[in-house]
Amino acid sequence: MKRNILYSVIAASLISAVGCQQTENQSNTAVKQAQTPRSELMTLLNFNSDIDNKFIETYNTQTQVVGDNELKVNFESKENSYASVSITPSTPWDWSHFKDFNLAFDIANPGDHSVQIYLDITDIDGANYTRTVNVARGKANTYYAKMAGHDLGTPEGDEDVELNFNSGLRSNPDTWESDEFQFVSMWGKKNLNLSGIKKINFSVQSALFDKVITIKNIRLRSNPEFNEQYLTHIVDKFGQNAKQQFPFKITSEADLIKERDAESKLLDGKLMAGYSKFGGWLNGPKLKATGFFRTEKVKGKWSLVDPEGYLYFATGIDIIRLSNSTTMTGYDFDQKVLAKKDPNDVTPEDSQGLNRVSDNAIPTRFVASEIRKNLFEWLPSYDEPLGKHYGYRKSAHSGPLKHGETYSFYSANLERKYGQNNANYLDKWQEVTVNRMKSWGFTSLGNWTDPSYYDNNQVPYFANGWIIGDFKTVSSGNDFWAPLPDVFDPVFKERALVTAKTISEQIKANPWCVGIFIDNEKSFGRSESKESLYGIVINTLTRDGATVPTKAEFTRLMKNKYKNIQQLNTAWNKNIASWEQFNKGIDSTFKTEKQVEDYSLLLSAYADKYFSVVDSALNTYVPNHMYLGARFPDWGKPMEVVKASAKYVDVVSYNIYKEGIHPKSWKFLEEIDMPSIIGEFHIGARDTGLYHPGLIQASNQEDRAKMYKDYMNSVINNPYFIGAHWFQYIDSPITGRAYDGENYNVGFISVTDSPYPPMIKAAKELHSQMYQQRFSK
């Protein structure tokens, strides 16, 4: 680790809760001036040429003082997946006497690429709050992070949650007007222990290029006057930002029709030049044709092969459906009159469409959240035509409302756009969408495409299923989306067979189906520590094998290995009286390295069972279609689980929300040596009225398109990846998707069904040369 510090602590003894008014001549003239006056509480840090190694640490980063007390930070991120600079005072800062304030920085970007900076602030309790912002190329601007007050609420309030604000959004509108840039909320504890802030950390993560910024004038400021209307009527009748102007904003139904007619002249229904019938490389070598998609390694590179035998690289877009287009309205109904969940259902509620309540439930409608209700300028009545786009969610993953009424502005806009003269707007939407994919050069429809598209027979598609049901569960200790199945419970196998049979009935042995994903982002384990990595084992060992089949299997495996309990006690430094006590439940905390070895074995056994059960079910009902795995999240892919999956799947799948495929992070693919596919990635920006760009952020739509191409080029140039799917087709609702509040600019199209021109241009350019780029070298 390189360490070097260039700083000076200013005015520590002059801390005052009252502070003094910052005047214009005290400000950096290169910084945009806020429209609302600021009250500076204290200057925390400035930088000069004095060197002291106590407070600033760098990791894969070089720093130097330049200009007017600016710290130039060169992140060596091309060669390193993580690079950072952190400020760690010898004594934690005590900011507890400030009640309503923010932390501000003047940051410029003199480099060649925009820079997504992750800001982590950590307190003396070990709690951390992660935020992020994209710093565009060019001169300095002020960037700030609220530390207390306004929409952070209070430490005791329900705003202090991992993901959402009290509004139900992942990121709120700004609570005061300015020309500055607020760091976007990601995750962690929003209300830190302000009596001890021990670290401020800036990092660049999984970038494809070296990045550079300059930082100066780190300071605390009191927050301006709170705009109490910041959440009032922020959404117009088209589901757009009602308070901001941006390019291509729709202002009338006539705008929608004009846009529809203009686009129709561009969509001729033809495949991109050089594509085979199924989207393969028409001008490339022709391999064995089997009538279905398959994989083959060709000249050292894994590839898909289409049903006619052409090399095929899968590009596509996820979530071509209405299910994720809904947002909570703030209304609810009497639970007694709502339909009950079907225990035999194989599709999670969030994948089922709008799910409108029955007519007899409508009279019981009531306001469940004034905050949510007041977000909208307009909502229709149930008895008017656009009232058909209401829905309902019986459960939500995160946010203040656990269930409630939803509305799809996107679905309503489809009717406005394509439903004139009683036309079937959904049929027209499907026709336009398929023609878009062909025109834009995408070779497939990605995961979670509505099954109504499965018989389009023009663009290949990826099918999916979930194994849900009344089987027993186990826990990793951090089950992000849901508890994990007890894969040794016979009911799990029964439900896997039901799911496979349902998928078979949907795809009907259609050769246009590339393959099948089952489940998504299971919490198999996290890499932060041994405890989080082997959480399934640690938690299951504490349970009773008489009621937990996975625990009974763990007991059997350890009995086979150690023969008697004393041998296990010696290896694990435990004092377990008998195998009966072991099976009943034990203290599973780590004491020896031998435990790590055995826990790895047990995790492998769990994963092996999971993938073998699913593989067997798919072989029973869809033997001609590839099994594409469970889409490992970047945060949840223990090598034991990845290697277990490789024994059963045809393609290993990952969801990779990074700036690209960083070579060091993915070197393990050489050992696995399996065809791999990216199930999800995205990049967003803040110039289209949405309040949260998404997990990976660009400075604007042009930069977003450039970063999209950079990401895809890193995939195309990797010999193990055989495709990548963008998440998702449509922007998230501005007020957050109903399931969890995601309100991201991650669509190729907006809520008004308007394509983003820079993204479309980038996709066409990329697809026109991707086969030559991958296979001609």
Side-chain angles (χ1 to χ4, degrees), residues 654-718:
Y654 307 88
N655 294 345
I656 308 174
Y657 287 100
K658 305 293 183 185
E659 292 188 27
I661 303 304
H662 201 282
K664 285 188 177 179
S665 300
W666 294 90
K667 193 171 179 60
F668 72 87
L669 294 177
E670 296 177 9
E671 179 185 357
I672 303 296
D673 194 21
M674 282 281 293
S676 301
I677 190 168
I678 296 170
E680 296 179 18
F681 76 101
H682 69 217
I683 301 150
R686 284 200 277 185
D687 58 348
T688 61
L690 279 84
Y691 301 118
H692 199 307
L695 300 179
I696 305 300
Q697 302 181 7
S699 57
N700 55 38
Q701 294 303 309
E702 292 290 344
D703 188 45
R704 184 179 179 226
K706 177 183 180 299
M707 291 178 66
Y708 161 72
K709 289 178 69 175
D710 288 339
Y711 187 108
M712 284 302 303
N713 283 327
S714 77
V715 178
I716 292 168
N717 293 333
N718 188 293

Side-chain angles (χ1 to χ4, degrees), residues 155-203:
E156 298 77 22
D158 58 0
E159 301 86 347
D160 187 18
V161 294
E162 175 73 12
L163 293 173
N164 300 67
F165 286 88
N166 194 40
S167 61
L169 279 63
R170 288 288 174 88
S171 185
N172 279 337
D174 292 341
T175 56
W176 67 79
E177 185 178 357
S178 78
D179 291 328
E180 300 173 347
F181 297 89
Q182 183 178 186
F183 277 86
V184 175
S185 179
M186 297 296 279
W187 43 74
K189 191 173 188 295
K190 291 183 173 64
N191 286 279
L192 298 171
N193 182 349
L194 297 177
S195 66
I197 299 297
K198 67 178 185 180
K199 180 184 284 189
I200 298 172
N201 186 75
F202 298 92
S203 64

Side-chain angles (χ1 to χ4, degrees), residues 297 302 632 637-654 665-677 718-721:
K297 201 169 192 179
W302 280 105
F632 297 121
K637 57 178 195 313
M639 282 303 102
E640 293 91 342
V641 182
V642 173
K643 290 178 180 178
S645 77
K647 295 163 56 178
Y648 300 101
V649 304
D650 297 288
V651 178
V652 184
S653 52
Y654 307 88
S665 300
W666 294 90
K667 193 171 179 60
F668 72 87
L669 294 177
E670 296 177 9
E671 179 185 357
I672 303 296
D673 194 21
M674 282 281 293
S676 301
I677 190 168
N718 188 293
Y720 299 99
F721 283 107

Side-chain angles (χ1 to χ4, degrees), residues 390-503:
Y390 278 112
Y392 193 80
R393 287 288 177 263
K394 296 185 180 71
S395 62
H397 173 264
S398 54
L401 292 175
K402 301 309 176 187
H403 45 74
E405 177 189 84
T406 65
Y407 192 74
S408 173
F409 286 94
Y410 179 72
S411 182
N413 288 331
L414 292 180
E415 182 172 1
R416 290 164 168 149
K417 191 172 184 177
Y418 302 118
Q420 286 73 32
N421 302 317
N422 296 317
N424 188 318
Y425 63 91
L426 290 179
D427 286 347
K428 184 62 178 178
W429 171 58
Q430 289 190 21
E431 176 188 335
V432 169
T433 297
V434 168
N435 283 334
R436 282 172 174 170
M437 297 303 109
K438 294 165 71 175
S439 175
W440 301 347
F442 286 104
T443 62
S444 70
L445 309 179
N447 198 37
W448 296 315
T449 292
D450 193 295
S452 63
Y453 282 83
Y454 285 5
D455 61 357
N456 81 87
N457 293 344
Q458 298 180 68
V459 181
Y461 64 90
F462 285 70
N464 72 90
W466 303 80
I467 304 176
I468 57 178
D470 192 24
F471 42 76
K472 294 180 171 67
T473 61
V474 297
S475 175
S476 69
N478 189 1
D479 307 327
F480 184 78
W481 293 114
L484 291 151
D486 187 326
V487 294
F488 291 93
D489 181 353
V491 179
F492 176 73
K493 180 179 179 179
E494 294 172 10
R495 297 301 296 172
L497 287 165
V498 170
T499 296
K501 184 174 184 293
T502 301
I503 295 169

Side-chain angles (χ1 to χ4, degrees), residues 298-337:
V298 179
K299 294 184 179 180
K301 295 180 180 180
W302 280 105
S303 179
L304 290 168
V305 180
D306 78 13
E308 294 181 324
Y310 293 103
L311 294 174
Y312 175 91
F313 192 83
T315 66
I317 304 180
D318 293 324
I319 309 288
I320 302 178
R321 67 183 190 187
L322 298 181
S323 303
N324 295 81
S325 68
T326 64
T327 191
M328 292 280 194
T329 64
Y331 290 87
D332 208 339
F333 302 89
D334 186 339
Q335 297 297 297
K336 294 190 294 293
V337 298

